[in-house]
Amino acid sequence: IGIVYKYYHKLGDEKKLYACKKTKQEYVTNCPPLKQKSRWNSMIRELVILELINSPYVIKVHEFLRTSNNFYMIQDYANGGSL
């Protein structure tokens, strides 16, 4: 569960568009212990799977960040994508 934002990274004159998936830490930490472990494992599993797969059909993960309140997964941006 999270919200996805468009994220622009500017390096010199180059500007690249990414997707930034934000998940609040309280989603993982403010629940019963068994559910907390399940949610944490699910989030880590998603990250590991996306990092391991190297396919033009799967969105690439570039970075995973953690702040005091949120988790952020920086991924390639796919405009108007569907499953």
Side-chain angles (χ1 to χ4, degrees):
I1 303 267
I3 300 171
V4 179
Y5 298 96
K6 286 183 183 179
Y7 167 72
Y8 289 95
H9 178 72
K10 188 174 180 182
L11 185 59
D13 291 336
E14 187 180 341
K15 189 174 175 183
K16 186 157 183 190
L17 179 61
Y18 294 96
C20 178
K21 181 178 178 183
K22 173 182 155 186
T23 304
K24 292 186 177 189
Q25 278 197 35
E26 64 186 33
Y27 171 75
V28 176
T29 58
N30 290 348
C31 57
L34 285 178
K35 190 164 231 168
Q36 183 178 25
K37 184 175 181 179
S38 174
R39 287 179 179 179
W40 177 254
N41 286 342
S42 180
M43 192 168 60
I44 296 302
R45 190 177 314 115
E46 176 185 8
L47 177 65
V48 168
I49 289 169
L50 290 174
E51 284 185 333
L52 289 175
I53 296 174
N54 186 15
S55 168
Y57 305 106
V58 178
I59 298 293
K60 182 174 169 49
V61 173
H62 294 278
E63 199 151 352
F64 182 79
L65 308 166
R66 181 179 184 176
T67 65
S68 58
N69 297 321
N70 300 302
F71 298 106
Y72 298 93
M73 193 180 305
I74 310 299
Q75 303 171 291
D76 285 334
Y77 179 77
N79 188 19
S82 63
L83 296 175

